[in-house]
Amino acid sequence: MGTCPHTLNRDSLTQRVKTAWRVPYSSGNVLLARMGSLCIMTGNVKFNQSGGNNYSKASETLPAGYRPTEGNTMIGRFTYDGGQFNLLSQPSGEVTMLGNPGSAYACTSAAWFTNDPMPA
């Protein structure tokens, strides 16, 4: 009996990793999880300040292993009463901000695909 070719080099959902990631304008972290090529960001944070962002670059970047396959991929939409703060990312990990964090408590949940190697 040989090995079935469809089981070789497959992207298995049983391989999972996770890490904390600090959100721009916050001292709080959200969870970045990876299962196969699927990345998920979930969590809630308290933003430390307000300020309008119109395609502003964040100093934070997505870590290797969680970077999206396409440019301007939505990686976070933080919503709160009266507004929202959105994060987009490039395959390089560069993060762009849209909206106003509003010094608010806000939650997010987002998912995207990556071609990055699985982080250790």
Side-chain angles (χ1 to χ4, degrees):
M1 293 269 170
T3 302
C4 296
H6 66 277
T7 62
L8 299 176
N9 299 319
R10 67 185 172 139
D11 192 8
S12 173
L13 289 180
T14 60
Q15 188 175 14
R16 299 178 190 154
V17 293
K18 61 184 177 179
T19 192
W21 185 67
R22 191 175 73 76
V23 177
Y25 289 114
S26 175
S27 57
N29 293 322
V30 292
L31 177 69
L32 287 178
R34 170 131 177 228
M35 295 171 285
S37 63
L38 179 66
C39 297
I40 301 168
M41 177 189 287
T42 59
N44 68 329
V45 296
K46 167 71 170 102
F47 290 106
N48 299 328
Q49 59 189 14
S50 294
N53 290 279
N54 189 15
Y55 291 96
S56 303
K57 302 293 181 213
S59 58
E60 297 80 5
T61 59
L62 277 181
Y66 299 91
R67 296 173 175 179
T69 58
E70 302 291 327
N72 290 325
T73 296
M74 176 72 72
I75 61 164
R77 173 170 283 158
F78 294 85
T79 58
Y80 58 92
D81 189 25
Q84 66 180 359
F85 181 59
N86 301 305
L87 301 175
L88 308 174
S89 185
Q90 303 298 320
S92 66
E94 180 180 83
V95 175
T96 303
M97 303 174 291
L98 297 169
N100 186 340
S103 294
Y105 288 96
C107 298
T108 190
S109 181
W112 63 92
F113 290 102
T114 187
N115 289 330
D116 284 359
M118 185 64 80

